[in-house]
Amino acid sequence: MKALKIIFSIALIGLIFGGCAYNFIVEEDIIDPGDPDAPEVSFSSQIVPIFSSKCTSCHYTGNQMPDLTPDNAYNSLNSSRYVNTSSPESSLIYTKPSPTGSHVQYSEAEAALVLTWITQGAQNN
Ligand code: HEC
């Protein structure tokens, strides 16, 4: 019986702390663009899906520039008009969908990912 109680207590403690750790991870989900140790953002697996979910209904091939479809997004953005790696915050691909204007907006987490991608050199990765 004593052994059972101990096992139950450990399981309970595990559940309590496990729950906290989970909440903590969810809150920390927004990447910090200013953190030099931030994990590397992948253009193809993290940025392109943002474009596909909320941009390509308008920004598709032959329509509104930049073309943000998966096959063309990188080439389309690989220009000083959209991306400025020496002053990432002034990049049009970051500022245009920001919460100030009437244009479609990034969520806070999406904006942070885009800014981090630019800060890390806007690689085709
Ligand atoms: C409902 C249609 C629509 C959606 C969805 C949309 N846009 Fe746009 N976007 C436009 C239009 C129209 C313009 C041109 C007018 C303007 O500059 O506001 C534009 C302009 C832009 C520009 C500036 C282009 C230039 O060369 O001046 C960028 C960058 C941009 N959008 C990025 C995005 C991103 C990133 C998303 C997704 C988060 C997105 N847009 C979603 C319609 C859309």
Side-chain angles (χ1 to χ4, degrees), residues 28-89:
E28 290 292 291
D29 229 355
I30 297 178
I31 199 164
D32 175 5
D35 178 3
D37 296 324
E40 186 174 285
V41 172
S42 159
F43 183 73
S44 59
S45 68
Q46 291 174 280
I47 305 297
V48 165
I50 300 172
F51 297 157
S52 299
S53 74
K54 48 165 75 163
C55 315
T56 52
S57 54
C58 300
H59 293 272
Y60 57 86
T61 316
N63 199 48
Q64 178 62 48
M65 278 298 282
D67 179 348
L68 298 176
T69 56
D71 287 347
N72 299 319
Y74 186 81
N75 284 339
S76 217
L77 294 178
N78 191 12
S79 123
S80 57
R81 175 166 182 83
Y82 298 115
V83 169
N84 181 347
T85 48
S86 43
S87 173
E89 278 103 351

